[in-house]
Structure formats: C-alpha cells, structure tokens
Amino acid sequence: MNRACIRRWHWTGAAFTLAAGTLLHFLYGWTDWIGAAVFAPVNESVWEHLKLLFWPMLLTTAAEYMAYGNGRKNFIQAKTAGLLVGLAAIPVLYYAAKPFAGVDCLPVNLLIFALSTAAAWLVSFKCMISNKGSAPAAAAAAILLFTSIALLFVSFTFSPPRNELFRDPQTGTYGLHQGPD
C-alpha cells in the first residue's frame, strides 16, 4: 500500500475517532447501561475521557489491519505508538490548561481531544511510513500493551484507584458511582 493510501486511512481514522469519541462521551448518560460503561466515560475524570480516544482508535485499527495492516511489518507498533502519544497528550494538555480554563471548559476540553487525536494519528502515520520497529518482539509487546490498556479501562471503571487522574472534578467521585474519598 502506498503512502497516499495510508494517509487517507489515517485521515479517515482521525475523523472517525473525533466523531465516535464525541458520541461516546454521552453514551453512558443516554443509556445508563452497564455495558456502555466499558466503552464510554461514566464520569468527568481525565481517566474516563481517555476512552474517547482509545476505543474508536482500536476499532479503526482493526479495520485498517484487515484492509492493509497485515502486509506491514510495523503496523501494530505504529498504531500503539500513536495511541500512547494520544493517551499521554490528554492528561498533559488537560492539567496544563486547567489553571487557565478551569475544570469544566467545554471548548478547551474539545480542543484537547482534537489535538490529542491529531497527535495520535500523526504519530501512527509517521511511524508506519518509516517502516521502523518491525521486529516480531516489538509487535508482541505492542499487542500486549494494547490489550493491557483495554483491560485497565474495564477494571478501573468499576474499581478505580483513589488518584486525581480517576477523580471526577465535578462530583469528587471515582469510577462508576463510587463515593468521594
């Protein structure tokens, strides 16, 4: 697959991540279904908002893999690198903006999500076209990391650590209906 085609897939993936992540933000509130809690934020904590990037990117990664990824030796490594950058960018940007924008500034939060999504997909694209990191051990580590992050999202939704990253700044609660400290 040529560079232009990979670029189109990444543009499409970024657009899908933005759209699906935005919808996921409201899914649990709209449905109050326990199954939605795995994929959608159950509160306004930074941790729960990482799901907005993770699950849409995972879904798009699966589609990309079926379309062209199995022919690229560094596919999963590139996707994991992008994912890690995007997931790291959300709390970094949130805590950097918090003193200026407060805890609940919708335009700033949307901008953080958009910038983090763009960073994730840009890093994924740059890594993919570089063809670096194609060792089988790197692929295995990337798959393990992707899987571990998914399991942490499930686990920490129902049993979160008592840490600022997991605390809803509006209610002081943690995870799915867990009281404050």
Side-chain angles (χ1 to χ4, degrees):
M1 174 157 300
N2 67 30
R3 183 180 178 133
C5 200
I6 293 171
R7 182 181 293 117
R8 278 192 300 277
W9 271 98
H10 278 73
W11 276 106
T12 303
F16 176 80
T17 300
L18 287 170
T22 300
L23 290 175
L24 279 177
H25 186 272
F26 303 102
L27 181 65
Y28 182 74
W30 287 340
T31 65
D32 208 27
W33 174 52
I34 197 78
V38 171
F39 305 104
V42 297
N43 65 32
E44 293 298 319
S45 71
V46 174
W47 173 262
E48 288 292 313
H49 281 76
L50 297 178
K51 293 176 183 180
L52 303 179
L53 176 69
F54 180 81
W55 294 114
M57 193 161 180
L58 178 63
L59 186 61
T60 308
T61 294
E64 280 183 279
Y65 184 80
M66 290 184 281
Y68 73 91
N70 60 347
R72 300 200 64 86
K73 292 181 180 173
N74 71 338
F75 178 82
I76 193 66
Q77 299 90 316
K79 290 297 170 185
T80 303
L83 176 70
L84 292 175
V85 166
L87 291 178
I90 291 172
V92 167
L93 292 172
Y94 174 79
Y95 289 115
K98 187 176 173 181
F100 307 103
V103 295
D104 194 26
C105 182
L106 183 61
V108 172
N109 291 341
L110 290 171
L111 180 62
I112 289 168
F113 179 52
L115 290 173
S116 300
T117 298
W121 285 96
L122 178 63
V123 167
S124 171
F125 175 73
K126 293 291 187 180
C127 289
M128 185 139 346
I129 62 170
S130 77
N131 284 322
K132 293 181 181 172
S134 59
I143 290 169
L144 180 63
L145 189 56
F146 234 110
T147 305
S148 297
I149 293 169
L151 293 173
L152 287 174
F153 278 124
V154 175
S155 175
F156 289 163
T157 293
F158 299 100
S159 184
R162 295 296 202 245
N163 177 286
E164 179 66 19
L165 186 68
F166 301 89
R167 190 177 71 76
D168 182 330
Q170 296 173 352
T171 65
T173 59
Y174 296 85
L176 190 63
H177 308 298
Q178 295 190 16
D181 289 329

